[in-house]
Amino acid sequence: MTERLALLITAAQPEQVVTPLVHALAARALDAEVEIHFAGPAVRWLVAGVAEAAWPTPAREKSIAAFLDEAAAAGVRFYACGMARAAWVGAEETLRADAGAAGATAFVARTLDPAWRTLVY
């Protein structure tokens, strides 16, 4: 079984982004190396303050930020697409301190590498 998982998130709606975050946590619980690539409007989840104000359910029991923090604490690595950042993140905005940078080529390389499995959301 492969022990490396890369997820690509393009979802901009809170109810759509929570599933890949839960999947990332599940993979970490199985001791897999996990990274999440945020592309398109999903890069906004990495902008300071955005995820803190978003809730995936009407009950508002856990914010998107709480899911991100839990994933980060579990060892999931976050990557912002450079093109998405240029299009969706303002010059005055900052990303989470734990967000790295990786473009489309980095995720495509993961899909071509037999040591990695990939999921797209």
Side-chain angles (χ1 to χ4, degrees):
M1 174 170 84
T2 187
E3 296 179 4
R4 294 181 176 139
L5 179 65
L7 292 82
L8 174 66
I9 299 178
T10 61
Q13 302 301 323
E15 62 275 11
Q16 294 173 328
V17 76
V18 71
T19 298
L21 294 173
V22 169
H23 287 175
L25 286 165
R28 283 298 301 137
L30 295 170
D31 292 325
E33 179 181 347
V34 181
E35 57 188 39
I36 301 177
H37 296 248
F38 292 82
V43 77
R44 300 254 345 128
W45 295 121
L46 299 175
V47 173
V50 172
E52 289 79 2
W55 307 85
T57 65
R60 297 173 62 114
E61 65 276 345
K62 190 172 180 180
S63 70
I64 297 301
F67 282 101
L68 287 168
D69 292 343
E70 187 176 349
V76 175
R77 292 186 317 273
F78 303 136
Y79 295 103
C81 170
M83 286 177 55
R85 187 172 181 174
W88 292 93
V89 179
E92 71 288 349
E93 294 179 307
T94 59
L95 299 185
R96 294 173 55 106
D98 55 7
T105 303
F107 185 78
V108 171
R110 292 292 190 231
T111 69
L112 297 173
D113 186 337
W116 287 80
R117 296 289 185 260
T118 55
L119 295 171
V120 178
Y121 297 89

